[in-house]
Amino acid sequence: HGWPINSKAIYTVFFRGDFTTSGWLTEWCGYHSAFTNSNGTVRYAVVGDASTSKSSLNIACLYNQGPITPNGNVGADSMASVFAHEVAE
């Protein structure tokens, strides 16, 4: 049972802003980590959609490089920016 482990992969969880979890929007916009089990090392990233959050803190996680986002979708563009940041780290 379970997913095959690929040591070169980054498994990513994307979630809507109406899902809440500790630290999101107050401490992080996305994060990455890894764990090792008997099958090998699993790297993962977690990224939320701040555009669908009801929190007034969401502004810190939204794409803010101008009035128009690259793809015209502030949620998707913000998540892409946060994801790229996590992968780069």
Side-chain angles (χ1 to χ4, degrees):
H1 292 240
W3 297 339
I5 302 298
N6 180 336
S7 64
K8 296 179 182 176
I10 299 174
Y11 297 89
T12 306
V13 175
F14 294 97
F15 64 90
R16 290 180 43 94
D18 54 2
F19 173 79
T20 58
T21 187
S22 179
W24 188 55
L25 301 178
T26 59
E27 298 173 25
W28 55 271
C29 299
Y31 70 90
H32 63 278
S33 192
F35 63 88
T36 302
N37 64 21
S38 61
N39 295 316
T41 299
V42 177
R43 292 168 184 81
Y44 65 94
V46 178
V47 178
D49 181 359
S51 73
T52 59
S53 171
K54 303 278 190 260
S55 172
S56 62
L57 300 172
N58 70 344
I59 193 72
C61 295
L62 293 176
Y63 183 88
N64 61 2
Q65 302 301 311
I68 301 173
T69 67
N71 295 296
N73 183 320
V74 71
D77 288 337
S78 298
M79 292 175 76
S81 177
V82 170
F83 178 66
H85 170 86
E86 298 308 321
V87 169
E89 287 186 337

